[in-house]
Amino acid sequence: MTPASDPIFTDVAATLCLIFIFLVPLAGAGLALINTGLGRARSAAHQMMSSLCAVSIAAVAYLVCGFAWQGFAGGPAHVLHVGGKGWSWIAAQPLFLRHVTLNGSPASLVALLGMMSAALAALIPLGSGADRWKLSATCASTVLLVGVTYPIFAHWVWGGGWLAQLGENYGLGRGFVDAGGSSTIQAVGGLTALSIAWILGPRRGKYTTEGMPTAIPGHNSSFVVLGCMLALVGWWGLNSAGAVVFAGAGTGDAVLVAINTTLCAAASALMAAVITGVRFGKPDLSLTANGWVGGLVASSAACVFVRPPEAAAIGMVAGALVTFSVEWFELRMSVDDPGGAISAHGMGGIWGVLAVGLIARVPPMGPNATGEPPGQWLAQVVGIATLIGFVLPLTYGLNWLLNRMRPQRVSVEGERQGMDLHELGAGAYPEFMTHSDDFGQR
Amino acid sequence: MTPASDPIFTDVAATLCLIFIFLVPLAGAGLALINTGLGRARSAAHQMMSSLCAVSIAAVAYLVCGFAWQGFAGGPAHVLHVGGKGWSWIAAQPLFLRHVTLNGSPASLVALLGMMSAALAALIPLGSGADRWKLSATCASTVLLVGVTYPIFAHWVWGGGWLAQLGENYGLGRGFVDAGGSSTIQAVGGLTALSIAWILGPRRGKYTTEGMPTAIPGHNSSFVVLGCMLALVGWWGLNSAGAVVFAGAGTGDAVLVAINTTLCAAASALMAAVITGVRFGKPDLSLTANGWVGGLVASSAACVFVRPPEAAAIGMVAGALVTFSVEWFELRMSVDDPGGAISAHGMGGIWGVLAVGLIARVPPMGPNATGEPPGQWLAQVVGIATLIGFVLPLTYGLNWLLNRMRPQRVSVEGERQGMDLHELGAGAYPEFMTHSDDFGQR
Amino acid sequence: MTPASDPIFTDVAATLCLIFIFLVPLAGAGLALINTGLGRARSAAHQMMSSLCAVSIAAVAYLVCGFAWQGFAGGPAHVLHVGGKGWSWIAAQPLFLRHVTLNGSPASLVALLGMMSAALAALIPLGSGADRWKLSATCASTVLLVGVTYPIFAHWVWGGGWLAQLGENYGLGRGFVDAGGSSTIQAVGGLTALSIAWILGPRRGKYTTEGMPTAIPGHNSSFVVLGCMLALVGWWGLNSAGAVVFAGAGTGDAVLVAINTTLCAAASALMAAVITGVRFGKPDLSLTANGWVGGLVASSAACVFVRPPEAAAIGMVAGALVTFSVEWFELRMSVDDPGGAISAHGMGGIWGVLAVGLIARVPPMGPNATGEPPGQWLAQVVGIATLIGFVLPLTYGLNWLLNRMRPQRVSVEGERQGMDLHELGAGAYPEFMTHSDDFGQR
């Protein structure tokens, strides 16, 4: 644990940090609401059920093996010696959280924060797989994400792994830096969402026979915005906890973190509203909400290393990026992502990591360090290259294998019937009358 | 206050604990959403209105007399001398919170936590009385629960009463132990829910003339799962606060508590999903949600006395128990419990208390205590016997008397019309079209 | 910062206070849900979108200039010398939060709390402008509120301005006192809501040609009550943070604050339920919810200066006041306020401020102060006079100017079509069937 050298990280600071983590589940509730609200009414119960199961499986899988392989800086790890330097590539903690005293120690905070981070990551692909992803496949895919992909990359970034060692080994700034999880949680989740969307293919009727996309509006905009607001509280907790546990910040720095997080989300949402308003004549609620989430996502990595106006600037870029990315994936790539998860979490997360290199001032760690070490931007670029060159193939490959063993997509008949009736035997809103006709031509 | 002997319980620890309590109302919001979502659309406004009134009345009643009779360990109490030992049976605090300094003192934390605990307990019977319980009767019943039943039993467990004294007086472990309220809040609320369901009888059309139950699905599954997620945050706060205030834990132990609570809920929900999936071919959302809640409930008593794998084991049992209990009450006992409150809170709570005796290791309290005292399981069994042999008759009797004075159930005409229109004069969703036909044959 | 003289306000206290502030966004989520639930289904997406934009703009505007003009007690300010005394009328901080170290210092806590307070204030007028207020006008109006009206009055009360100086300069108690923002947030927001309702005029069909009001029920009562419950948590945080930062309370006093806040809301809601039940034969959900909010609002000013029974008394008056105020504005003043914002926030806030003078005991500040200084009630009356005599004309004037430049109200055609389709191009619930006929005759 790097903050162990930080004199502020006392027992009281640990408990304060713990309370930051206690707010993180609200981010999960928010994401589940956003995903559900942006999906169809006839899949709403299925989406919520999938969310509850994903969180449950993530919690179990993380505590069985996820934490053991993520580990924490300073803990036991497998080290590869290449070029005269030691590279830590996976942690070597015992399974089942054995030998970890869960009493507020830095390691125990990593475990609790990691459990909720893994659950958040697991909720992200549910957005892109909405309306066609089998519940059983969701569960299996979550096991792979939380048991394999997430802990490996989280070890590299947060567990003292080789990305974090880039500073020590090659003098690249402080090494790859991501305080709140723009890469570990969001980009990993977003790239998994992309893999899922590729593997499942678009929803029936999403594209005409000429390949033109049809608008399939979300079924409950109130849920979407409520989700955005709950997510804000969750992100305050997430970024503050990450800044203290993984970036050596003091608990008082959470003021800066909260202001930056809010400004980044606000600027991003406003940018998305303005862009859609100018381009389409009317501002678009779902893109504005995606912009808000993208701003939260982008704020995480640099949350404690920038001043408020810089956070707002990061948010403005995020809002534009998410807006154009959603359109690009839908129009050019023919990727059907009902929840906008790929753009908000994947692109937003990568931008957040890059922003650390471009905008933030990352001070060196340790008591006798001075000045701002150079090469931080290069460490961030190496991290992004790792996300695209290693994490994306890994998560795609694992889900491709899963799909080979048993198709992850529901049957055509099931999709026509709606996920709720087909997979759960009951609709989410059985007493309400809904339009029998579909939005697209199918 | 037992923790007074604990050197960790400083001013800072008190405020940290206070912040745990600040999260508890989210559990109330969650339970209200679950109860409403599992009920009918035409009773939704009534259910939410009843929830708001129940919380309001619980707050007032608890501060008028509830706290005075619950008290806290070490405070003034009426003591009965039987067999040469002193048995504290009711606290003797002044009414209206007089003489209690509300500044973060242990007694004041008990008062705040007690107020929200009483409000939670008051929300539970609303689940079993859904769609037919008069608002005025709800309010009167809440007065009896929070003014009489809850504080008496809470004194026995949390206030230094005779159940807590079983250790000191008869050497049964540490005496009856319940850190987070599996018995005081959940089982008391669940047994009251059972009494209400018995007194009210099943909803019109729930049972055919041959006595076979009809499925009456909840009107909003999204609310149900959102409620589960909000409840998680509330339970983290509830169990952590209870562990510190009532079980002598340090604030840092909240890491263990949060992980245990999450794993217990997750394992319980997954178990319920698997059981219903195997038995009915499709996993059932409402039973999975009930499993989640039952897991939260069962986690409370032992939350700080078990390791994570043991918490998961408690959850697996809870999930199976809730699933079969719901079916047993519906099919064998002809008890109509729309919200599953009896099974999730009553059965889940009793199992949680029993698990302390079967699985947990409860260390002795006090500075010079060593080893793990024997007989803890017997203390737990005595507590369960008290719940079934004393609390259930008491709460049934009080509500029976209330029902004699004025029927608690709405008129046949009112039930046909829907609780919203009949009791409030307006529906919850007046602009939405709903199916005019009922689910059952009536 | 007055609490600087308070030895309790240590680093730890600062971080604890910070966590209180972390709960405040839940109050915002609650208000947004209440406003949306009390509006029409065809404006729900618009209302939620407006809420997200208002929060975003408030965050940006507050950090650009709002904080600079609000400032904090002890900070630089422009002082007018009148009658031999110095009167601070506006703060002189640099724009963009420059020179403020955001590390948990008292000034930084003021900035974070101020940002969320401004966002809350900005959500209030959305309640009275529901179903007819253009999104663009909402945004412009929020800039004026958060950039001009809110910071000026907040400086006078919370920033060491002339209202706070009434004690020091003229011996009126401790000067104008408002711990949690009954005036600065709620009354300022409520009076702006009144201005907006006047400027926009009533909704089409709200009044018959004879001037009789038609009932236009809210579209989702479940949202309304869920909003009330989320708001409770937010208000616990808001009042506790305000008590510590602006009223010199210790963090442990948050127990008193939470109990008082809850009792005040509970008593107010119950009073509203009883009054509507007696007068109309059936208790009214929307007025009970407004009563709950009015109780929260009224609790803020005196939250740390009264005992629980007094808080309940303040709540009972608030509940009666809100109920009759809603009717008075609707029937006598022909003001159409769908969300009840004028009554709950405006009247509730003024009553809360007055209650400090009538009921509370405000101890003097500072180390060598003794006794309870006289004249507190007069300071409160001066504050209320300032709200009505200065803030109301100011906020009305600014919005009137805005309306002259470009009408704030949507076109007749847009209102008939519904705000969602007209301004956003998509409904909130596109799959659900709604009644095509309107409630009123239009």
Side-chain angles (χ1 to χ4, degrees):
Chain A
M1 247 334 275
T2 26
S5 66
D6 193 332
I8 298 174
F9 206 63
T10 59
D11 280 3
V12 170
T15 317
L16 289 167
C17 180
L18 186 154
I19 294 174
F20 295 146
I21 305 175
F22 270 39
L23 299 175
V24 177
L26 291 174
L31 291 188
L33 273 180
I34 293 170
N35 286 340
T36 303
L38 290 174
R40 301 291 305 270
R42 60 190 192 182
S43 308
H46 188 267
Q47 181 69 270
M48 288 304 260
M49 177 82 168
S50 301
S51 303
L52 198 62
C53 289
V55 168
S56 297
I57 288 178
V60 173
Y62 185 77
L63 297 170
V64 168
C65 67
F67 176 74
W69 298 337
Q70 174 184 345
F72 50 91
H78 296 288
V79 178
L80 219 60
H81 290 273
V82 176
K85 320 232 183 213
W87 299 96
S88 168
W89 66 277
I90 195 164
Q93 294 283 327
L95 303 182
F96 293 106
L97 287 188
R98 276 176 297 133
H99 306 179
V100 180
T101 316
L102 300 169
N103 62 351
S105 67
S108 74
L109 291 177
V110 171
L112 181 61
L113 180 54
M115 180 177 79
M116 290 319 298
S117 300
L120 282 186
L123 287 170
I124 296 168
L126 294 175
S128 73
D131 300 336
R132 61 205 188 283
W133 198 12
K134 276 185 200 163
L135 177 59
S136 57
T138 304
C139 293
S141 181
T142 298
V143 170
L144 296 177
L145 175 62
V146 176
V148 181
T149 316
Y150 171 84
I152 291 178
F153 191 75
H155 174 72
W156 296 353
V157 177
W158 282 344
W162 71 271
L163 281 171
Q165 290 173 306
L166 284 174
E168 183 191 314
N169 279 350
Y170 280 123
L172 300 183
R174 200 200 268 190
F176 183 78
V177 161
D178 181 355
S182 289
S183 62
T184 45
I185 303 171
Q186 312 297 339
V188 167
L191 294 173
T192 304
L194 176 58
S195 307
I196 292 296
W198 267 332
I199 289 167
L200 296 177
R203 289 172 285 180
R204 286 182 61 248
K206 175 66 192 177
Y207 292 94
T208 63
T209 44
E210 294 83 35
M212 286 302 298
T214 313
I216 304 184
H219 89 284
N220 194 322
S221 300
S222 301
F223 281 175
V224 174
V225 177
L226 174 60
C228 289
M229 292 187 170
L230 293 180
L232 177 66
V233 184
W235 243 270
W236 280 12
L238 177 66
N239 285 352
S240 299
V244 173
V245 172
F246 297 123
T251 49
D253 293 326
V255 175
L256 176 64
V257 170
I259 289 178
N260 283 344
T261 305
T262 312
L263 276 180
C264 195
S268 184
L270 292 173
M271 180 58 90
V274 166
I275 290 176
T276 53
V278 167
R279 292 189 65 205
F280 311 137
K282 292 175 179 174
D284 186 88
L285 182 140
S286 78
L287 282 169
T288 304
N290 269 327
W292 175 272
V293 174
L296 291 173
V297 165
S299 76
S300 292
C303 60
V304 75
F305 301 120
V306 292
R307 293 281 309 164
E310 295 163 339
I314 294 175
M316 287 169 69
V317 175
L321 186 70
V322 169
T323 310
F324 288 106
S325 169
V326 163
E327 189 175 317
W328 187 73
F329 274 108
E330 182 171 349
L331 278 181
R332 308 278 160 216
M333 302 289 286
S334 296
V335 167
D336 183 15
D337 177 7
I342 303 167
S343 302
H345 297 273
M347 302 300 276
I350 288 173
W351 161 238
V353 165
L354 186 62
V356 172
L358 296 182
I359 298 176
R361 288 163 309 283
V362 182
M365 254 350 217
N368 50 5
T370 53
E372 190 184 332
Q376 184 66 50
W377 69 272
L378 192 51
Q380 304 302 113
V381 169
V382 173
I384 294 170
T386 309
L387 280 168
I388 295 170
F390 177 81
V391 171
L392 179 57
L394 175 66
T395 192
Y396 183 87
L398 290 172
N399 279 292
W400 181 85
L401 278 175
L402 200 65
N403 196 52
R404 290 280 296 187
M405 288 161 53
R406 192 147 167 280
Q408 298 206 38
R409 182 165 180 154
V410 78
S411 66
V412 174
E413 184 47 38
E415 197 179 346
R416 186 177 287 127
Q417 195 180 10
M419 301 298 281
D420 287 0
L421 285 178
H422 184 69
E423 289 229 315
L424 303 179
Y429 315 107
E431 297 189 51
F432 292 93
M433 295 175 73
T434 52
H435 297 289
S436 54
D437 53 326
D438 277 331
F439 291 95
Q441 311 152 11
R442 12 202 117 175
Chain B
M1 245 336 273
T2 25
S5 66
D6 193 333
I8 297 174
F9 206 64
T10 59
D11 280 2
V12 170
T15 317
L16 289 168
C17 180
L18 186 154
I19 294 174
F20 294 146
I21 305 176
F22 270 38
L23 299 175
V24 176
L26 291 174
L31 291 189
L33 273 179
I34 293 170
N35 285 340
T36 303
L38 289 175
R40 302 292 306 271
R42 61 189 190 181
S43 308
H46 188 267
Q47 180 69 270
M48 287 305 258
M49 177 83 168
S50 300
S51 302
L52 198 61
C53 289
V55 168
S56 298
I57 288 178
V60 173
Y62 185 76
L63 296 170
V64 168
C65 66
F67 176 73
W69 296 336
Q70 174 184 345
F72 50 91
H78 296 288
V79 178
L80 218 61
H81 290 273
V82 176
K85 319 236 182 210
W87 299 96
S88 168
W89 66 276
I90 194 165
Q93 293 283 327
L95 303 182
F96 293 105
L97 287 188
R98 276 176 296 132
H99 307 181
V100 180
T101 315
L102 299 169
N103 62 351
S105 66
S108 73
L109 291 177
V110 171
L112 181 61
L113 180 54
M115 180 177 78
M116 290 319 299
S117 300
L120 282 186
L123 287 170
I124 296 169
L126 294 175
S128 73
D131 300 335
R132 61 204 189 284
W133 197 12
K134 276 184 199 164
L135 177 59
S136 56
T138 304
C139 293
S141 180
T142 298
V143 170
L144 296 177
L145 175 62
V146 176
V148 181
T149 316
Y150 172 83
I152 291 178
F153 191 75
H155 174 71
W156 295 353
V157 176
W158 283 344
W162 71 270
L163 282 171
Q165 290 174 307
L166 284 173
E168 183 191 314
N169 278 350
Y170 279 124
L172 301 183
R174 201 200 267 190
F176 183 78
V177 161
D178 181 355
S182 289
S183 62
T184 45
I185 303 171
Q186 312 298 338
V188 166
L191 294 175
T192 304
L194 176 58
S195 307
I196 292 295
W198 268 332
I199 288 168
L200 296 178
R203 288 172 286 180
R204 285 183 61 247
K206 175 66 192 175
Y207 292 95
T208 62
T209 44
E210 292 83 37
M212 285 304 296
T214 313
I216 304 183
H219 88 284
N220 194 322
S221 300
S222 301
F223 281 175
V224 174
V225 177
L226 174 60
C228 289
M229 292 187 169
L230 292 180
L232 178 65
V233 184
W235 243 271
W236 279 13
L238 177 66
N239 285 353
S240 299
V244 173
V245 172
F246 297 125
T251 50
D253 292 326
V255 174
L256 176 65
V257 169
I259 288 178
N260 282 344
T261 305
T262 312
L263 276 180
C264 194
S268 183
L270 292 174
M271 180 58 91
V274 167
I275 290 177
T276 53
V278 167
R279 295 188 64 205
F280 312 137
K282 292 176 180 175
D284 185 90
L285 182 141
S286 77
L287 282 169
T288 305
N290 270 327
W292 176 271
V293 174
L296 291 173
V297 165
S299 76
S300 292
C303 60
V304 75
F305 301 120
V306 292
R307 294 280 308 162
E310 294 163 338
I314 293 176
M316 287 168 70
V317 175
L321 185 70
V322 168
T323 310
F324 289 106
S325 169
V326 163
E327 189 176 316
W328 186 75
F329 275 109
E330 182 171 348
L331 277 181
R332 308 278 160 218
M333 302 288 287
S334 296
V335 167
D336 182 15
D337 176 8
I342 302 167
S343 302
H345 296 274
M347 302 300 277
I350 288 173
W351 161 238
V353 164
L354 187 62
V356 172
L358 296 182
I359 297 176
R361 288 163 309 284
V362 182
M365 264 329 232
N368 49 6
T370 54
E372 190 184 330
Q376 184 65 51
W377 67 272
L378 192 51
Q380 302 302 111
V381 168
V382 172
I384 293 169
T386 308
L387 280 168
I388 295 170
F390 177 81
V391 171
L392 179 57
L394 174 66
T395 192
Y396 184 87
L398 289 172
N399 280 292
W400 182 86
L401 276 175
L402 200 64
N403 195 52
R404 291 280 296 188
M405 288 161 53
R406 193 145 167 280
Q408 297 206 37
R409 182 166 180 154
V410 77
S411 65
V412 174
E413 184 48 38
E415 197 179 348
R416 186 177 287 127
Q417 193 180 12
M419 301 297 281
D420 287 1
L421 285 177
H422 185 69
E423 289 229 314
L424 303 180
Y429 316 108
E431 297 190 50
F432 292 92
M433 294 175 72
T434 52
H435 296 289
S436 53
D437 54 325
D438 277 332
F439 291 94
Q441 310 154 9
R442 12 202 118 176
Chain C
M1 240 346 265
T2 24
S5 64
D6 193 333
I8 297 174
F9 205 63
T10 60
D11 280 3
V12 170
T15 317
L16 289 167
C17 180
L18 187 154
I19 294 174
F20 294 147
I21 304 176
F22 270 39
L23 299 176
V24 177
L26 291 174
L31 291 189
L33 273 179
I34 293 170
N35 286 340
T36 303
L38 290 174
R40 301 292 305 269
R42 61 190 191 181
S43 308
H46 188 267
Q47 181 70 270
M48 287 305 258
M49 178 82 167
S50 300
S51 302
L52 198 62
C53 289
V55 168
S56 297
I57 288 178
V60 173
Y62 185 77
L63 297 171
V64 168
C65 65
F67 176 73
W69 297 337
Q70 174 183 346
F72 50 91
H78 296 288
V79 178
L80 218 62
H81 290 274
V82 176
K85 319 234 182 212
W87 300 96
S88 168
W89 67 276
I90 195 165
Q93 294 283 326
L95 302 182
F96 294 105
L97 286 188
R98 275 178 296 133
H99 306 181
V100 180
T101 316
L102 299 169
N103 62 350
S105 67
S108 74
L109 292 177
V110 171
L112 181 61
L113 180 54
M115 181 178 78
M116 290 319 299
S117 300
L120 282 186
L123 287 170
I124 296 169
L126 294 175
S128 73
D131 299 337
R132 62 205 188 282
W133 197 13
K134 276 184 199 164
L135 177 59
S136 57
T138 304
C139 294
S141 180
T142 299
V143 170
L144 296 177
L145 175 63
V146 176
V148 180
T149 315
Y150 171 83
I152 291 178
F153 191 75
H155 174 70
W156 295 353
V157 176
W158 283 342
W162 71 270
L163 281 171
Q165 290 174 307
L166 285 174
E168 184 191 314
N169 278 349
Y170 280 123
L172 301 183
R174 200 202 269 191
F176 183 77
V177 162
D178 181 355
S182 290
S183 63
T184 46
I185 303 171
Q186 313 298 339
V188 167
L191 294 174
T192 304
L194 176 58
S195 307
I196 292 296
W198 268 332
I199 288 168
L200 295 178
R203 289 173 285 180
R204 286 182 60 247
K206 175 67 192 176
Y207 292 94
T208 63
T209 45
E210 293 83 37
M212 284 304 296
T214 314
I216 304 183
H219 88 285
N220 194 321
S221 300
S222 301
F223 281 175
V224 174
V225 177
L226 173 60
C228 289
M229 292 186 170
L230 293 180
L232 178 65
V233 184
W235 243 270
W236 280 13
L238 177 67
N239 284 352
S240 299
V244 173
V245 172
F246 297 124
T251 50
D253 292 327
V255 174
L256 176 65
V257 169
I259 289 178
N260 281 345
T261 305
T262 313
L263 276 181
C264 194
S268 183
L270 292 174
M271 180 57 91
V274 166
I275 290 177
T276 53
V278 167
R279 293 188 64 205
F280 312 137
K282 292 175 181 176
D284 185 88
L285 183 140
S286 78
L287 282 169
T288 305
N290 270 327
W292 175 273
V293 175
L296 291 173
V297 164
S299 76
S300 292
C303 60
V304 75
F305 300 120
V306 292
R307 295 279 310 162
E310 294 162 339
I314 294 175
M316 287 169 69
V317 174
L321 185 69
V322 168
T323 311
F324 288 107
S325 169
V326 164
E327 188 176 318
W328 187 75
F329 275 108
E330 183 172 349
L331 278 181
R332 309 277 159 220
M333 303 287 288
S334 296
V335 167
D336 183 15
D337 177 7
I342 301 167
S343 302
H345 297 275
M347 302 300 277
I350 288 173
W351 161 237
V353 164
L354 186 62
V356 173
L358 297 182
I359 297 176
R361 287 164 309 285
V362 182
M365 258 338 223
N368 50 6
T370 53
E372 190 184 332
Q376 185 65 52
W377 68 272
L378 192 52
Q380 302 303 110
V381 168
V382 172
I384 294 169
T386 309
L387 280 168
I388 295 171
F390 178 81
V391 171
L392 179 57
L394 175 66
T395 192
Y396 184 87
L398 290 172
N399 279 292
W400 182 87
L401 278 175
L402 200 65
N403 196 53
R404 291 280 295 189
M405 288 161 54
R406 194 148 166 278
Q408 297 206 38
R409 182 166 179 154
V410 79
S411 66
V412 174
E413 183 47 37
E415 197 179 346
R416 186 176 287 128
Q417 195 180 10
M419 301 297 282
D420 287 1
L421 285 178
H422 185 70
E423 290 229 314
L424 302 180
Y429 316 108
E431 296 190 52
F432 293 92
M433 295 175 73
T434 52
H435 296 288
S436 53
D437 53 326
D438 277 331
F439 290 95
Q441 312 154 10
R442 12 202 116 178

